[in-house]
Amino acid sequence: MNGTHEGRERLLLVDGMALLFRAYFATSFTGSIRRTSAGIPVNGVHGFVRYFLDAVKRFGPTHVICCWDMGSTTFRTEQFSDYKGNRPDAPDDLKPQFDLVKEVVDSFGIPNVGIVGYEADDCIGTLARLHSGAADVFVLTGDHDMLQLVNERVTVVIMKKGYGNYAVYTPSFLLEERNLTPAQIIDLKGLMGDTSDNYPGVKGIGEKTALKLMQEYGTIENILDNLPQLSKSIRAKIEADLDMLHLSRDLATIRCDVPLELALDQCLWKLNRSTVETKFDELEFGSLVKMIG
């Protein structure tokens, strides 16, 4: 397995919202949503469990933590009020599943972690930094922003379309596939912005130009030191948007110093089968029992 060291602990950090949303939308587009006999929608939770258990089987963690966003107000919305301002409300059928999915995670004996004022990404970054000395860390997500966390001890596993498909990012795979280092992921976002998070970067600079600048100059500082070498139009765009360039880079930076402490021994992966089966019975997930082995 990439990025692992023989005999070391292995920590799986799960981006809970990424899995839940992916699971919900992968099934809801058909128009028929899985419900319990009492009518409670559970399609997202059902898919979450399938994705999660497949990843456990594939990456074999000794420890697991699941991280969540805690509402839409964070230090980033204080810095930039439009941050994620383009996100629609969660669909009505998804809303009751936010609490249900955490109950399922509880039944697995896994800590649910979230800190008000921060995003799940920041909790994941902090926990990765905290525990990568003692464990090989795997981050399970669909969010390419997380690639900035990659290092020799932290592997980012991006869920791809279709069930059980992953892109496994180590520093060498990131370099090979994108010709970028983890730190350059942040600078790239500073330049081009992020439409899904609703911050603009430098107006008029898209991914292609941003990548070209990163390949040529390596960092935003280096680009700014070499402004006279740039084409007139690119130089003008950057000079007109310097404040937004710095703000966008800051918004893109995952914080790894969130006030959060969780000892490794509090998140041992050790299923209590009867607890899980009780929860699965309640949600009418009979077909998933065989996945818990």
Side-chain angles (χ1 to χ4, degrees):
M1 181 63 60
N2 291 345
T4 58
H5 303 79
E6 220 38 62
R8 279 163 56 86
E9 308 286 13
R10 210 183 260 211
L11 171 63
L12 181 67
L13 294 173
V14 179
D15 181 351
M17 287 300 187
L19 266 69
L20 182 65
F21 272 81
R22 177 175 288 256
Y24 177 84
F25 288 109
T27 51
S28 64
F29 77 93
T30 61
S32 105
I33 284 186
R34 184 189 185 100
R35 297 175 193 277
T36 63
S37 45
I40 298 164
V42 289
N43 66 316
V45 181
H46 186 271
F48 176 100
V49 171
R50 287 186 66 217
Y51 286 139
F52 170 70
L53 291 175
D54 183 81
V56 164
K57 196 172 160 191
R58 174 83 175 265
F59 299 100
T62 53
H63 299 73
V64 182
I65 306 170
C66 192
C67 295
W68 301 94
D69 294 326
M70 302 295 284
S72 57
T73 308
T74 65
F75 73 92
R76 289 184 182 86
T77 50
E78 284 170 24
Q79 282 181 294
F80 183 59
S81 58
D82 286 340
Y83 182 75
K84 289 193 175 177
N86 56 344
R87 299 273 173 109
D89 259 3
D92 287 343
D93 279 329
L94 179 53
K95 287 175 184 168
Q97 301 190 57
F98 291 137
D99 287 336
L100 274 182
V101 74
K102 289 178 185 168
E103 289 173 21
V104 170
V105 170
D106 272 338
S107 79
F108 285 144
I110 298 168
N112 282 304
V113 170
I115 303 276
V116 173
Y118 293 94
E119 292 180 53
D121 298 22
D122 304 309
C123 295
I124 287 170
T126 299
L127 289 164
R129 176 176 286 182
L130 204 58
H131 294 306
S132 58
D136 292 315
V137 177
F138 292 80
V139 175
L140 180 66
T141 184
D143 182 355
H144 287 78
D145 290 359
M146 298 275 204
L147 295 176
Q148 64 187 265
L149 300 176
V150 168
N151 62 37
E152 292 306 326
R153 293 273 173 85
V154 179
T155 300
V156 173
V157 177
I158 298 281
M159 302 170 70
K160 295 175 77 177
K161 202 172 175 172
Y163 175 65
N165 291 328
Y166 307 100
V168 180
Y169 284 92
T170 55
S172 58
F173 182 61
L174 180 60
L175 202 58
E176 178 192 321
E177 199 207 53
R178 302 202 173 186
N179 203 16
L180 291 169
T181 64
Q184 287 177 319
I185 296 285
I186 304 171
D187 282 10
L188 188 70
K189 293 270 179 171
L191 287 162
M192 63 184 259
D194 185 328
T195 48
S196 74
D197 285 341
N198 206 39
Y199 57 87
V202 176
K203 199 175 177 183
I205 289 190
E207 184 170 14
K208 207 171 156 189
T209 305
L211 271 169
K212 192 166 170 264
L213 289 168
M214 290 313 298
Q215 308 303 356
E216 205 162 329
Y217 296 101
T219 64
I220 282 173
E221 280 70 28
N222 226 0
I223 292 168
L224 297 179
D225 288 344
N226 288 281
L227 279 179
Q229 326 309 316
L230 302 182
S231 76
K232 217 184 230 174
S233 89
I234 289 176
R235 179 181 177 175
K237 285 170 185 171
I238 291 174
E239 285 178 337
D241 245 346
L242 270 180
D243 287 349
M244 188 48 81
L245 170 64
H246 291 301
L247 177 59
S248 293
R249 174 164 66 168
D250 199 41
L251 293 170
T253 304
I254 292 173
R255 299 295 186 269
C256 296
D257 55 359
V258 171
L260 168 61
E261 280 182 35
L262 187 61
L264 210 49
D265 60 12
Q266 288 176 271
C267 42
L268 262 176
W269 172 243
K270 200 168 154 209
L271 273 186
N272 179 325
R273 194 183 170 97
S274 69
T275 310
V276 176
E277 283 188 8
T278 304
K279 195 69 197 166
F280 281 11
D281 280 349
E282 185 192 312
L283 297 172
E284 298 165 26
F285 285 179
S287 62
L288 294 181
V289 172
K290 61 181 183 299
M291 286 189 76
I292 58 177

